Amino acid sequence: MVIGASAGIGRAFALRVVKSGADVVLAARRADKLEEVLAEAGRGVSVVADVRNPADCARSAEVAAEALGQIDILLITSGYAPLKMFEDTTVDDWRDVFETNVIGVHEMIRVHLPLLAPSAIVAVLSSDSVRNPHTALGAYSCSKAALERCLVAWRLEHPGYRFSCVEVGGTVPTDFSSHFDPGVLSTALTEWLARSLVQARQMTPEAVADTLAGIFAAAIEQPDVSLESIVLKSPAPPMRV
């Protein structure tokens, strides 16, 4: 089950595992993009769902139950980031980012919990901005920090499943920055470069997806191996100003 399968890492992962022979349900909020992925994959089942809508979350679980019966891997890649200086971050910005990155993720896990196979993997994408704060991504990094603590709570109360936090560094191209204000991005990027937060080479969604698919495929065969934390980042040195 891939949540956020219409773009970026979610899209690349969905295509990768479908072509490797897995039975997959693809969920995303944009119906047109989701249909494009499904057409490229050649098979699979799709469901239009916005993680911020509890009814959509419940419907995605219903589709998964019918299509898969049980879930071996639940991957949640959906996310939202307002690029704003902290003093300009509004109440609506906070609501949007937490409803997407924390509450929506929690609800998706909660409704799919009855479908998880023994030792199932529940993997959620986090960000390197939690450990390495980025200017103008304050609300986003706060939400991802909260998300990581949510995974700890899930792990504590449901030790039979493998809840995995996947920290991902710079990856292009994705839709992550498609709505960023160019002026704020320019200011932020200057600061990111000055603090060596940008690698000279960045990862691609396909490279990240292939790596995760390999890790998860191996872990499925080793149910006694935990996957609490996975960190993926480019090995390239920081970009110099």
Side-chain angles (χ1 to χ4, degrees), residues 72-74 116-124 151 155 158-165 215-228:
D72 296 309
I73 301 172
L74 173 62
L116 296 181
S119 300
I121 297 168
V122 179
V124 185
L151 291 175
R155 215 174 280 136
H158 294 275
Y161 302 123
R162 292 177 284 177
F163 293 93
S164 179
C165 175
I215 292 171
F216 295 156
I220 288 294
E221 301 300 321
Q222 303 294 336
D224 294 327
V225 175
S226 177
L227 296 169
E228 290 189 4

Side-chain angles (χ1 to χ4, degrees), residues 145-185:
L147 168 66
E148 293 187 6
R149 298 311 300 175
C150 287
L151 291 175
V152 172
W154 278 114
R155 215 174 280 136
L156 178 67
E157 297 184 12
H158 294 275
Y161 302 123
R162 292 177 284 177
F163 293 93
S164 179
C165 175
V166 183
E167 178 187 313
V168 181
T171 306
V172 292
T174 69
D175 285 355
F176 179 77
S177 60
S178 60
H179 61 281
F180 284 176
D181 177 270
V184 178
L185 180 58

Side-chain angles (χ1 to χ4, degrees), residues 40-58:
E40 184 173 346
R43 65 182 186 85
V45 175
S46 66
V47 54
V48 177
D50 187 333
V51 300
R52 297 172 299 178
N53 186 328
D56 284 2
C57 295

Side-chain angles (χ1 to χ4, degrees), residues 5 37 45 54 63-64 74 77-78 80 83 94 110-111 115 117 129 131 140 148 152 178 180 190-191 194:
V37 179
V45 175
V63 172
L74 173 62
T77 68
S78 54
Y80 170 67
L83 186 77
W94 280 108
R110 193 182 70 82
V111 299
L115 305 177
S129 66
R131 290 188 302 114
Y140 174 71
E148 293 187 6
V152 172
S178 60
F180 284 176
T190 298
E191 197 273 344

Side-chain angles (χ1 to χ4, degrees), residues 84-160:
K84 287 190 173 183
M85 304 305 285
F86 215 50
E87 64 182 306
D88 298 322
T89 303
T90 66
V91 169
D92 287 339
D93 292 327
W94 280 108
R95 287 198 181 105
D96 286 343
V97 76
F98 266 79
E99 284 179 0
T100 303
N101 298 349
V102 183
I103 300 170
V105 170
H106 172 82
E107 185 63 9
M108 275 296 188
I109 294 174
R110 193 182 70 82
V111 299
H112 288 87
L113 197 66
L115 305 177
L116 296 181
S119 300
I121 297 168
V122 179
V124 185
L125 298 193
S126 187
S127 166
D128 64 338
S129 66
V130 175
R131 290 188 302 114
N132 302 293
H134 286 54
T135 294
L137 285 176
Y140 174 71
S141 61
C142 285
S143 73
K144 289 298 187 179
L147 168 66
E148 293 187 6
R149 298 311 300 175
C150 287
L151 291 175
V152 172
W154 278 114
R155 215 174 280 136
L156 178 67
E157 297 184 12
H158 294 275

